[in-house]
Amino acid sequence: MNQPPTAFDPKQAKVVHQWKGPSPLIACCFDPHDKFVVAAAENRQVLRWTIPDGKLDAWDGHESWPRCLAASSTRPIVVSGGSDDLLIWWDTDSSPAKPIRKLEAHKGWIRSVAVSSDGNLLASAGNDGRVRLWELESARPLAEWGDHEREIYSVRFHPDGKSIFSGDLMGNVIRRALPSGRILQKFAAQELHSYNVGQRVDFGGVRDIAVRPDGRRIAAAGLFKATNPLGAVHQPLVLLFDLQPKEQAEPKTSEDANKDAKAQMDTKGARKHESNVAGKHFSDLKGVASRVVYVSNEWLVGVTGGTSGGYLLFWQPGSEKPVVQFKLPDIARGMDVDSSGRLFATAHYDRHVRITSV
Amino acid sequence: MRCRYACRSDQHQIARRKFLGDMAAGGTAVVGGLAWLARPAAARQLESQQKHVIVINMHGGLSQLESWDPKPKTDTGGPFRAIPTSVPGVHISELLPETAKQMHHLTLVRGINTKENDHGKGAYMMLTGRRRTPAADYPKLGAVVAKSLETRDQSLPGHIVVTPGGSGGRGNDAAYLGPKYSSVVLGNGNPPPNTTLPKGVSSDRDAVRHRLRRHANERFLSQRRTAMTDVYTYNYEQALQLMAKREVFDVSREPAKDQQRYGKHDFGRHCLLARRLVEHGVSFVQVSHSNYDTHNENFTFHFEQMGEFDRPFAQLVADLADRGMLEHTLIVVLSEFGRTPRINNRYGRDHWSAAWSVCLAGGRLQRGAAYGKTNANGTAVADGQVDHAMLFHTYLEAIGVDATGEFEVAGRSLPVADPSSQPIDEILA
């Protein structure tokens, strides 16, 4: 996926597969070898369709909705995180699939999971405002951080494996060094958050984060212009931030790291640096950018679902609006891209998982 | 539906004649007093043991599935689980862990069918116990309670509505009961507006002004006294008493630890204010929590809103119980309707009045009860169906007010509650 696809032309996008499941879908991902697409469903199951024949296997294990999925890039493992606070490891090659491991990881929904590019680390985050780091193979807990004051919606690793990003409801994005957890940067994505005085609700948040393959920029996705949050009147927005070119030296102890992080956050200089929005992408559609991925340094792809319907949105640098908006047959709630960067799996309310080829 | 009051039993007829006789004996004593009550014995009881009502209005339409009637592991249940409560066998949403600990004080009504999915109409029905018609306007529960529980020595308004924002003022919600029973609105829980003396007017000078006003009033009233002039007089005197007791509305005078327990957010402050007001003798207080009209991202918003609601509500129930006030204070957590069991394509739930719930506590209500039942996935009432009119009767009966009584207004006898309905006897102790 990190190689720029040649002749990548979103205008040629078309749905090449669609398979129906037993329940509305929430999220989806490809397995590391692109043999399967895996989806989380409202009936509490994790579903696996074989590519290209669409054979369906349904896996039971969650007590509530699974909400997020992440696949290892090196092993046949998919991890699901749920509203039941559970992380479940699935062996995607077994048939029927069974949970390899199950553990209670958070208090409150698990909103996001991610696997590092080397396949060694798993990160999870959720409504309890905590980011947790695990060894993927053993599920051994490695670290836990709680610097977000509200629900965390997204967590992603930097491709180089040396830092991790987390974004929350209030539009705060934090970049930490690994493994220390020292805060390297904070990004102010508050345009993705709104508080509606009439409805008295906080809304929006950093629904997803994508790191550009060259590791020099991140995209924080969500929504803006939320004039009626409870009625779904809002539009997709992606804010772009440049990363610091040089990371500071690691402190010697975790105590030092925490002191440094606090000092960094409290200084005026740090705050000035935080608001470095480098650009933005948006769409006039009504919806939310619930997932974004960079398929190359040039192309950022997002998925949106809302009152305008479901779309894949294709942005290029310098174009605030999508170069192409590809309409999907139904509202999309989740999306993933395969290792070629040309196949996009989308999870839909109408119970279908669809694969779009570009 | 069985109509208990349509039977015209001898007992009811006697009570009505007795009520009208009391009214006739009351003559022109329209200000204060309890002469209007159908049952003098009950009136004496109310006077000696002042009753109160606190309504918490979950504005927009609280989801019953994310609160009082969860259906986990069904196609409509959503992502939240059910948790046990202090009453064995009664489960509520996991979003209400503190409330669950107070379930032994609470009464759930799970079989409501109001057949009205419009916000305004639904709210009107739930707060008046009647459907709105072009021909008649009905007083809201607060006005009915304020009039029914009025005492001779009452110095504070009997009907207070705390709004989440706004500047406050006076409501127009007493219909034929008259403006005396309209709500005093506390915008964002602040003391009533215009209750401090203008700059440059001393207390002594103000007292002189009021002596002059009273003197003029007395001359006028000696020849032209009407119900309306009495109300004008009452309003002046009540305003003065309100100014003298302005600190009653200042929630910051509550102990710091209580403010901490209830939370510093608006809803926490308003719940603590409700406790303070009933402790100072106010008959009816309505607090709102907003907003539950979650057509979009219902679960995220309920996570947020229920999380804010849970602790202060549980504290309020526990405090009133600990202080022995729950015996004579009714708490009602209501909404204009519930939300659809079906989850829409934006993770939302829409308007649904066919099968939903309210939570009650206190007064004559049975504690720890769950009355009524919905089917497996919550789409219909399976047992114990009730509606807004029955709930309205129940509220009044729970505080010892005879809902079969009548108000005598300008020579007309007007039923306190919908005479074609009845209370839910099964939950009244």
Side-chain angles (χ1 to χ4, degrees):
Chain A
M1 174 174 102
N2 292 350
Q3 300 303 315
T6 55
F8 185 81
D9 184 3
K11 291 177 184 170
Q12 305 302 317
K14 62 180 178 183
V15 175
V16 292
H17 297 293
Q18 61 173 11
W19 299 305
K20 191 173 185 180
S23 173
L25 304 181
I26 300 167
C28 63
C29 72
F30 285 99
D31 86 308
H33 306 298
D34 301 331
K35 291 193 298 185
F36 310 107
V37 60
V38 179
E42 286 187 11
N43 69 348
R44 303 181 307 285
Q45 291 182 316
V46 174
L47 309 171
R48 179 188 66 183
W49 284 272
T50 307
I51 301 172
D53 62 15
K55 179 178 176 294
L56 173 64
D57 286 306
W59 308 338
D60 295 308
H62 278 286
E63 297 296 313
S64 178
W65 289 6
R67 299 196 68 85
C68 48
L69 298 162
S72 165
S73 56
T74 56
R75 277 163 286 194
I77 294 173
V78 165
V79 179
S80 58
S83 300
D84 51 7
D85 311 345
L86 293 176
L87 285 175
I88 300 183
W89 277 247
W90 305 92
D91 177 356
T92 56
D93 275 354
S94 68
S95 186
K98 57 186 178 183
I100 303 168
R101 189 173 286 109
K102 180 190 291 193
L103 57 88
E104 190 169 325
H106 289 263
K107 296 291 183 191
W109 294 353
I110 298 171
R111 294 265 195 177
S112 183
V113 286
V115 174
S116 60
S117 54
D118 62 6
N120 290 328
L121 299 174
L122 170 73
S124 60
N127 282 354
D128 59 3
R130 319 287 295 180
V131 175
R132 290 190 163 188
L133 191 67
W134 315 81
E135 190 176 74
L136 182 65
E137 180 70 23
S138 65
R140 184 168 63 94
L142 300 175
E144 178 181 348
W145 305 295
D147 297 289
H148 290 275
E149 293 181 356
R150 295 293 298 269
E151 298 92 313
I152 303 178
Y153 285 178
S154 50
V155 62
R156 293 283 175 254
F157 287 95
H158 192 284
D160 67 8
K162 292 179 181 174
S163 61
I164 187 171
F165 302 85
S166 53
D168 65 24
L169 167 62
M170 307 306 286
N172 298 303
V173 178
I174 296 176
R175 181 189 184 195
R176 300 168 191 281
L178 291 175
S180 70
R182 174 172 157 266
I183 293 177
L184 298 173
Q185 278 178 283
K186 286 185 73 185
F187 305 95
Q190 273 73 26
E191 197 174 351
L192 297 172
H193 164 264
S194 67
Y195 179 77
N196 187 293
V197 175
Q199 299 179 343
R200 306 183 78 78
V201 288
D202 287 301
F203 184 55
V206 182
R207 303 298 175 99
D208 197 19
I209 299 167
V211 187
R212 206 165 65 182
D214 66 7
R216 299 171 71 173
R217 174 168 280 192
I218 62 166
L223 59 90
F224 75 145
K225 295 187 177 178
T227 54
N228 180 5
L230 299 176
V233 182
H234 46 73
Q235 295 173 217
L237 174 67
V238 179
L239 298 177
L240 307 173
F241 297 93
D242 287 329
L243 305 185
Q244 284 176 338
K246 291 182 181 177
E247 294 173 14
Q248 295 170 22
E250 285 283 293
K252 290 176 182 176
T253 66
S254 59
E255 196 174 326
D256 291 340
N258 290 334
K259 283 180 185 172
D260 286 357
K262 197 171 181 62
Q264 188 176 354
M265 283 195 294
D266 290 345
T267 58
K268 285 182 181 176
R271 290 205 177 278
K272 193 179 289 182
H273 183 69
E274 285 162 18
S275 56
N276 60 343
V277 176
K280 64 177 66 174
H281 298 307
F282 64 92
S283 167
D284 293 332
L285 297 168
K286 293 286 184 289
V288 51
S290 55
R291 182 93 165 86
V292 282
V293 291
Y294 274 105
V295 296
S296 67
N297 289 333
E298 185 180 2
W299 287 99
L300 178 70
V301 183
V303 71
T304 182
T307 51
S308 293
Y311 286 83
L312 284 172
L313 308 174
F314 297 85
W315 287 290
Q316 283 185 300
S319 65
E320 289 194 328
K321 291 189 177 183
V323 176
V324 173
Q325 296 186 148
F326 177 70
K327 185 164 176 56
L328 294 159
D330 184 55
I331 279 185
R333 293 166 155 188
M335 181 263 281
D336 195 24
V337 62
D338 78 339
S339 56
S340 74
R342 292 176 177 277
L343 291 180
F344 296 85
T346 44
H348 295 266
Y349 172 75
D350 69 359
R351 306 180 178 208
H352 285 83
V353 65
R354 293 185 171 87
I355 302 207
T356 299
S357 171
V358 176
Chain B
M1 182 185 298
R2 183 172 64 95
C3 177
R4 201 175 68 170
Y5 309 143
C7 67
R8 297 294 176 193
S9 67
D10 288 344
Q11 188 178 7
H12 181 56
Q13 294 295 310
I14 291 167
R16 186 170 182 278
R17 282 197 294 273
K18 178 79 174 70
F19 165 71
L20 293 173
D22 286 346
M23 281 306 302
T28 56
V30 291
V31 178
L34 292 162
W36 63 274
L37 275 173
R39 297 183 299 192
R44 283 194 295 277
Q45 171 67 18
L46 286 176
E47 203 165 20
S48 64
Q49 178 82 9
Q50 179 63 38
K51 308 285 186 183
H52 312 276
V53 177
I54 297 173
V55 167
I56 299 176
N57 185 0
M58 309 294 268
H59 186 69
L62 171 67
S63 169
Q64 69 281 3
L65 295 140
E66 276 68 61
S67 55
W68 315 118
D69 194 14
K71 302 288 182 184
K73 299 187 178 180
T74 69
D75 60 330
T76 60
F80 296 115
R81 293 165 290 182
I83 55 171
T85 67
S86 60
V87 176
V90 177
H91 290 66
I92 60 176
S93 170
E94 67 174 322
L95 296 176
L96 297 167
E98 297 301 321
T99 302
K101 297 173 189 169
Q102 304 300 326
M103 190 63 222
H104 53 290
H105 294 305
L106 306 178
T107 308
L108 301 181
V109 180
R110 284 172 163 166
I112 302 173
N113 183 357
T114 44
K115 301 174 184 167
E116 180 53 69
N117 288 332
D118 177 82
H119 283 292
K121 292 176 182 174
Y124 186 88
M125 289 162 63
M126 288 302 291
L127 289 171
T128 65
R130 329 268 184 121
R131 269 196 179 274
R132 191 197 297 269
T133 71
D137 189 18
Y138 295 102
K140 287 192 176 162
L141 179 62
V144 172
V145 168
K147 183 165 176 64
S148 303
L149 300 184
E150 190 173 43
T151 58
R152 291 190 181 90
D153 57 350
Q154 189 168 304
S155 58
L156 289 168
H159 180 189
I160 288 180
V161 171
V162 182
T163 57
S167 56
R170 204 71 200 261
N172 180 22
D173 41 21
Y176 46 71
L177 296 183
K180 176 181 173 186
Y181 302 103
S182 291
S183 57
V184 171
V185 180
L186 307 183
N188 200 26
N190 294 318
N194 307 317
T195 49
T196 52
L197 286 176
K199 284 181 181 174
V201 178
S202 68
S203 298
D204 290 343
R205 189 176 165 203
D206 193 48
V208 169
R209 286 163 24 137
H210 285 294
R211 276 200 297 276
L212 176 62
R213 176 181 58 80
R214 289 189 184 109
H215 178 69
N217 271 357
E218 284 166 12
R219 284 193 59 186
F220 184 85
L221 292 176
S222 64
Q223 296 180 344
R224 295 183 175 183
R225 185 172 186 174
T226 66
M228 288 305 290
T229 58
D230 278 332
V231 170
Y232 296 147
T233 304
Y234 172 87
N235 283 343
Y236 265 107
E237 298 304 325
Q238 189 187 54
L240 284 177
Q241 289 170 334
L242 233 166
M243 292 169 73
K245 294 199 168 187
R246 197 170 188 274
E247 78 284 354
V248 169
F249 301 93
D250 185 359
V251 75
S252 69
R253 291 175 182 264
E254 289 293 316
K257 65 178 173 51
D258 284 3
Q259 295 181 48
Q260 190 68 34
R261 281 194 298 128
Y262 279 73
K264 294 293 178 69
H265 49 76
D266 288 348
F267 183 67
R269 287 193 302 109
H270 296 171
C271 282
L272 185 56
L273 178 61
R275 189 193 79 179
R276 180 176 173 83
L277 291 171
V278 298
E279 283 183 325
H280 282 82
V282 174
S283 300
F284 180 95
V285 182
Q286 179 175 311
V287 172
S288 290
H289 195 222
S290 188
N291 189 294
Y292 290 92
D293 192 22
T294 48
H295 298 278
N296 182 41
E297 302 203 8
N298 170 77
F299 307 106
T300 293
F301 285 128
H302 273 76
F303 176 85
E304 186 178 334
Q305 300 291 68
M306 291 269 84
E308 189 173 87
F309 167 85
D310 182 41
R311 182 173 293 276
F313 173 67
Q315 292 289 347
L316 178 64
V317 173
D319 283 358
L320 294 179
D322 290 346
R323 296 169 187 213
M325 293 183 66
L326 205 53
E327 302 292 331
H328 48 98
T329 303
L330 171 71
I331 302 176
V332 181
V333 184
L334 56 71
S335 213
E336 55 262 55
F337 40 60
R339 305 211 75 82
T340 48
R342 177 181 171 274
I343 299 161
N344 71 26
N345 59 10
R346 300 179 305 275
Y347 299 112
R349 296 191 192 270
D350 303 309
H351 302 175
W352 187 252
S353 60
W356 59 290
S357 310
V358 300
C359 174
L360 312 173
R364 281 182 58 209
L365 293 171
Q366 289 186 22
R367 310 290 172 87
Y371 179 74
K373 188 177 175 185
T374 51
N375 63 6
N377 61 1
T379 55
V381 176
D383 186 35
Q385 179 166 299
V386 301
D387 65 9
H388 55 289
M390 296 174 76
L391 288 165
F392 198 83
H393 275 259
T394 306
Y395 304 153
L396 296 176
E397 294 288 342
I399 53 167
V401 172
D402 181 5
T404 70
E406 292 173 326
F407 294 120
E408 192 72 13
V409 179
R412 288 189 301 158
S413 297
L414 298 162
V416 169
D418 183 350
S420 68
S421 190
Q422 62 192 43
I424 309 165
D425 288 329
E426 291 86 346
I427 61 172
L428 289 167

